[in-house]
């Protein structure tokens, strides 16, 4: 065989390049929808037959193209979106490589009708070869029809998935894209049946319409997200939708940050359901790392990671403070004021929990919380904690946190494990005087558990005394947030005024008290 180097003809180059961008009907649809979005369309309609292999049409009402641009658009590396590589630093469009139309046209029967509002153009190509260009009538916007996909690349055709799985994939894709563009209406028609349709909506309405209700919402500097509760977590990540500058991406980094934000609410194998938008200066993201732009690279991973994690924590903290696992932290002296946003959950419980709303945490001093709720209130946090812990452990079905690693603790040889288990502590013997703890009541800090156990033994298994003794011994300070969480949780206790040993937990501070102090 003669091995001589030749330059590949343009249509072969396009077909080879097409391998990267146009993998299947879904990836074609993605490119075309992105073009319609870049063209500022307000309505995008997709119609397919036979999973998009036979026929795929996309219609938009965007800015359209002039006759000259229409001709150029199907040439490789022809784009209106960037002029130089530096423009990637300011990129606000979805496309930028100028490859999609040329690639799609090179592996199909391709036809495009477009109008910039002045003149309509209709062009067609077959397997990348130009067929005709005629003047036509069309309102401003663009219609692209792709049929007989891969008719000239049989090898590619062979590797295609079934019609059904292509439809599923395309539907998920259009739904996903629609999440990030609530002001655009989308419709998706499959073999004559409309299977998805959304009209212009607000962001919340769109998310709710496509994915159902979300319980938690939170915003940070450059991220905002919607989170479903831990009970809706799955063993897969398909319910996770991540957008970076409105592009849907797959990001193990972000998934992990969100998961960490859920904390001990989730076991190791479960993945939360959420939709998260990250909006960054285009300079801070590299979108040019994946042919289908499915992955991105951040210039500062760790900052994004922390921000996402915080955003999730905040979502739960604001809206469901009663379920947040509480860990001990030293109080942060710089955060003396903190306004709490009443959540929906709390809103509903307003009548039964008179102290919950319109309160402002002032500061924590040595285990005492001062808060304002019309009057000034003083709360003994150790007392509050002992009451909460006591009632929680007394219940038959306690809220628990599964520990990532079992905790090993020394215990008396003759200890009665059943009694301990009844407190909501999952544990088992692993030695003659040693147990492994797998789960703890949600309010029990892991590091403090051995201390609790010794209080339990010293107080001869009397829970009232043990919980008070344990909390009195806690050395470390309480943060303001933790103080408020305890205060709120206290409101749900049967007795919220006294600790299990009958000591008062909180009191209103009145002018006469203050006068008394001063005159004493
Ligand atoms: P890219 O999107 O990377 O620029 P494409 O091959 O996808 O490359 O598109 C080439 C050009 O064709 C775009 O830059 C744009 O100017 C034009 N174009 C494509 N689709 C549309 C559309 N639906 N409406 C208006 N212009 C379009
Ligand atoms: Mg494009």
């Amino acid at each position: 065989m003669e091995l001589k180097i030749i330059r590949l003809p343009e249509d072969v180059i396009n077909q080879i390049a097409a391998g990267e961008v146009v993998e299947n009907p879904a990836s074609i649809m993605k490119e075309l929808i992105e073009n319609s979005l870049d063209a500022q369309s307000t309505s995008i309609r997709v119609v397919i037959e036979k999973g998009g292999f036979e026929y795929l049409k996309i219609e938009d009402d965007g800015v359209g193209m002039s006759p000259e641009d229409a001709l150029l658009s199907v040439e490789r590396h022809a784009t209106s979106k960037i002029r130089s590589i530096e423009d990637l630093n300011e990129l606000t469009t979805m496309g930028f490589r100028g490859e999609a139309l040329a690639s799609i046209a090179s592996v199909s029967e391709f036809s495009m009708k477009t109008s910039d509002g002045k003149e309509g153009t209709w062009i067609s190509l077959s397997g990348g070869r130009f067929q005709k260009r005629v003047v036509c009538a069309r309102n401003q916007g663009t219609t692209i029809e792709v049929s007989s996909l891969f008719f000239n690349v049989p090898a590619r055709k062979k590797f295609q998935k079934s019609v059904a799985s292509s439809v599923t994939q395309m539907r998920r894709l259009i739904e996903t894209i629609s999440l990030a563009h609530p002001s655009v209406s989308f419709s998706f028609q499959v073999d004559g049946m409309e299977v998805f349709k959304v009209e212009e909506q607000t962001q919340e309405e769109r998310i709710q319409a496509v994915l159902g209700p979300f319980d938690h919402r939170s915003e940070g500097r450059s991220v905002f997200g919607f989170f479903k509760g831990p009970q809706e977590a799955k063993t897969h990540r398909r319910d996770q939708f991540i957008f970076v500058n409105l592009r849907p991406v797959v990001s193990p980094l972000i998934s992990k940050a969100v998961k960490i934000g859920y904390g001990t609410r989730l076991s190791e194998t479960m993945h939360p359901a959420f939709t998260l938008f990250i909006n960054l200066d285009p300079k801070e993201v590299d979108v040019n790392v994946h042919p289908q732009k499915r992955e991105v690279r951040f210039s500062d991973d760790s900052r994004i990671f922390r921000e996402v994690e915080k955003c999730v924590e905040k979502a739960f903290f604001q809206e469901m403070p009663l379920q947040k696992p509480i860990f001990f932290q030293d109080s942060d002296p710089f955060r003396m004021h903190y306004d709490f946003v009443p959540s929906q959950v709390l809103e509903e419980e307003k009548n039964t929990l008179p102290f919950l709303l319109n309160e402002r945490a002032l500061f924590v001093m040595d285990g005492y919380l001062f808060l304002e709720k019309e009057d000034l209130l003083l709360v003994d946090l150790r007392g509050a904690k002992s009451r909460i812990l006591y009632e929680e452990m007394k219940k038959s079905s306690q809220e628990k946190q599964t520990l990532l690693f079992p905790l090993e603790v020394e215990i008396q040889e003759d200890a009665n494990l059943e009694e301990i288990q009844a407190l909501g502590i999952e544990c088992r013997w692993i030695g003659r005087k040693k147990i492994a703890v797998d789960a703890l009541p949600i309010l029990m800090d892991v590091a403090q558990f051995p201390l609790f156990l010794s209080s339990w033994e010293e107080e001869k298994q009397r829970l009232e005394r043990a919980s008070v003794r344990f909390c009195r011994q806690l050395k470390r300070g309480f943060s303001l947030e933790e103080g408020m969480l305890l205060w709120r949780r206290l409101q749900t206790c049967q007795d919220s005024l006294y600790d299990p040993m009958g000591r008062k937990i909180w009191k209103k501070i009145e002018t006469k008290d203050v006068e008394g102090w001063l005159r004493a």
Side-chain angles (χ1 to χ4, degrees):
M1 190 168 67
E2 192 183 0
L3 290 174
K4 194 170 172 326
I5 296 176
I6 59 152
R7 274 186 200 284
L8 291 169
E10 186 76 3
D11 53 344
V12 179
I13 295 177
N14 283 340
Q15 284 168 9
I16 292 172
E20 288 184 9
V21 206
V22 294
E23 212 182 336
N24 52 34
S27 58
I28 292 178
M29 181 178 81
K30 174 168 186 281
E31 291 294 333
L32 297 179
I33 293 180
E34 287 185 352
N35 282 346
S36 297
L37 289 168
D38 285 344
Q40 290 143 40
S41 308
T42 64
S43 163
I44 299 174
R45 230 174 95 71
V46 181
V47 174
I48 62 164
E49 273 160 36
K50 299 256 163 64
F53 294 108
E54 202 63 42
Y55 181 76
L56 189 163
K57 175 168 85 168
I58 168 160
E59 237 167 17
D60 71 44
D61 62 351
V63 296
M65 285 173 262
S66 67
E68 304 76 56
D69 280 358
L71 275 181
L72 271 175
S73 72
V74 290
E75 277 184 32
R76 193 158 144 79
H77 306 313
T79 177
S80 57
K81 298 168 194 172
I82 58 170
R83 292 285 175 267
S84 69
I85 196 72
E86 285 77 40
D87 287 349
L88 282 181
N89 287 330
E90 270 123 59
L91 194 70
T92 52
T93 54
M94 298 287 154
F96 55 83
R97 296 199 188 108
E99 280 185 325
L101 292 190
S103 303
I104 296 165
S106 75
V107 293
S108 67
E109 303 285 356
F110 180 93
S111 134
M112 175 166 80
K113 271 187 193 171
T114 184
S115 165
D116 56 1
K118 297 189 197 99
E119 203 175 346
T121 311
W122 181 9
I123 62 171
S124 65
L125 290 88
S126 172
R129 303 241 162 100
F130 191 77
Q131 301 287 300
K132 64 168 187 207
R133 164 188 157 188
V134 289
V135 175
C136 75
R138 201 210 183 280
N139 291 337
Q140 187 166 20
T142 305
T143 306
I144 287 174
E145 289 176 287
V146 178
S147 44
S148 309
L149 186 59
F150 302 130
F151 78 94
N152 56 345
V153 257
R156 167 63 48 128
K157 203 168 179 174
K158 247 198 247 157
F159 287 106
Q160 290 305 310
K161 292 198 195 115
S162 72
V163 166
S165 70
S166 175
V167 171
T168 309
Q169 198 184 5
M170 292 174 90
R171 179 169 175 165
R172 177 175 163 96
L173 182 65
I174 191 166
E175 287 179 354
T176 305
I177 296 174
S178 82
L179 293 175
H181 301 275
S183 61
V184 178
S185 68
F186 289 87
S187 87
F188 184 40
Q189 183 183 314
V190 179
D191 298 324
M193 274 246 301
E194 188 166 71
V195 298
F196 175 67
K197 184 177 170 69
V198 278
E199 299 289 351
E200 182 184 347
Q201 285 165 316
T202 65
Q203 182 72 76
E204 305 232 24
E205 286 167 347
R206 176 62 57 90
I207 289 183
Q208 167 119 2
V210 179
L211 301 174
F214 277 72
D215 324 313
H216 314 278
R217 190 205 139 109
S218 156
E219 228 157 306
R221 188 156 68 97
S222 45
V223 296
F224 76 100
F226 298 82
F227 308 93
K228 296 208 178 189
Q231 71 285 359
E232 289 181 70
K234 302 280 162 58
T235 50
H236 56 74
R237 290 196 184 83
R238 284 195 297 277
D239 292 346
Q240 306 191 341
F241 298 87
I242 305 169
F243 299 86
V244 175
N245 292 351
L246 304 186
R247 263 174 225 287
V249 296
V250 174
S251 168
L253 175 84
I254 302 298
S255 291
K256 177 141 185 235
V258 174
K259 167 107 197 220
I260 290 180
Y262 272 73
T264 48
R265 292 177 193 90
L266 286 179
S267 72
E268 209 172 354
T269 51
M270 297 305 275
H271 301 293
F274 65 88
T275 301
L276 188 77
F277 296 94
I278 302 176
N279 296 314
L280 297 168
D281 187 314
K283 279 193 218 55
E284 296 180 86
V285 222
D286 188 355
V287 287
N288 198 15
V289 290
H290 187 276
Q292 292 168 18
K293 313 182 194 101
R294 229 177 351 211
E295 288 159 24
V296 292
R297 204 175 284 146
F298 301 110
S299 62
D300 187 351
D301 275 356
S302 56
R303 198 203 96 206
I304 307 292
F305 193 95
R306 277 196 309 276
E307 224 193 296
V308 170
E309 190 187 331
K310 271 219 197 103
C311 176
V312 185
E313 281 175 357
K314 199 170 120 195
F316 282 94
F317 183 55
Q318 277 178 358
E319 305 204 1
M320 278 178 55
L322 305 182
Q323 283 185 17
K324 189 184 157 85
I326 295 181
F327 297 106
F328 279 72
Q329 298 161 352
D330 291 319
S331 346
D332 178 351
F334 298 105
R335 299 189 52 203
M336 295 300 267
H337 285 269
Y338 200 99
D339 281 309
F340 283 82
V341 187
S343 78
Q344 234 180 339
V345 184
L346 298 176
E347 197 66 54
E348 284 164 16
E349 295 173 354
K350 191 152 67 176
N351 302 328
T352 50
L353 305 175
F355 284 101
L356 234 49
L357 299 170
N358 308 324
E359 8 173 80
R360 194 153 72 121
L362 298 175
F363 56 89
V364 171
M365 193 181 82
D366 223 8
Y368 291 93
L369 166 71
F370 288 78
L371 76 122
E372 194 185 334
K373 142 100 200 166
E374 286 153 21
D375 303 295
L376 181 62
L377 303 183
L378 170 64
V379 187
D380 170 8
L381 292 174
R382 291 189 177 86
K385 192 176 168 87
S386 64
R387 162 56 63 185
I388 300 164
L389 208 56
Y390 167 71
E391 290 199 8
E392 184 62 30
M393 291 176 127
K394 225 174 46 173
K395 274 196 242 164
S396 52
S397 65
Q398 298 93 342
E399 245 184 286
K400 281 177 213 166
Q401 45 171 337
T402 308
L403 307 184
L404 225 47
F405 304 103
L407 175 73
E408 294 183 10
V409 204
E410 298 274 344
I411 192 170
Q412 281 170 9
E413 211 175 333
D414 56 356
N416 181 343
L417 274 209
E418 272 169 28
E419 264 177 35
I420 297 178
Q421 283 157 347
L423 304 175
I425 296 156
E426 279 174 25
C427 55
R428 55 198 149 86
W429 287 110
I430 48 167
R432 203 164 54 83
K433 293 172 76 174
K434 213 174 198 188
I435 56 170
V437 179
D438 300 304
L440 285 174
I442 204 114
L443 271 131
M444 177 67 74
D445 184 59
V446 183
Q448 305 287 350
F449 180 69
L451 181 64
F452 172 80
L453 211 56
S454 66
S455 305
W456 172 254
E457 284 176 342
E458 280 163 41
E459 292 294 350
K460 311 226 172 352
Q461 290 79 36
R462 283 170 300 189
L463 186 56
E464 285 89 349
R465 290 172 163 276
S467 49
V468 170
R469 183 186 189 113
F470 163 62
C471 291
R472 293 281 147 214
Q473 287 177 359
L474 296 175
K475 291 267 159 34
R476 300 178 59 192
F478 293 78
S479 72
L480 196 58
E481 269 147 314
E482 190 183 350
M484 275 316 267
L485 286 167
L486 288 170
W487 166 247
R488 295 206 159 165
R489 188 135 193 160
L490 181 68
Q491 310 309 311
T492 66
C493 288
Q494 279 171 356
D495 180 348
S496 57
L497 201 52
Y498 297 98
D499 79 8
M501 296 294 289
R503 253 175 302 198
K504 236 189 168 149
I505 301 173
W506 62 272
K507 143 176 197 17
K508 215 187 269 182
I509 298 181
E510 286 162 306
T511 320
K512 64 174 169 32
D513 298 322
V514 182
E515 278 171 358
W517 300 336
L518 292 174
R519 308 282 173 270

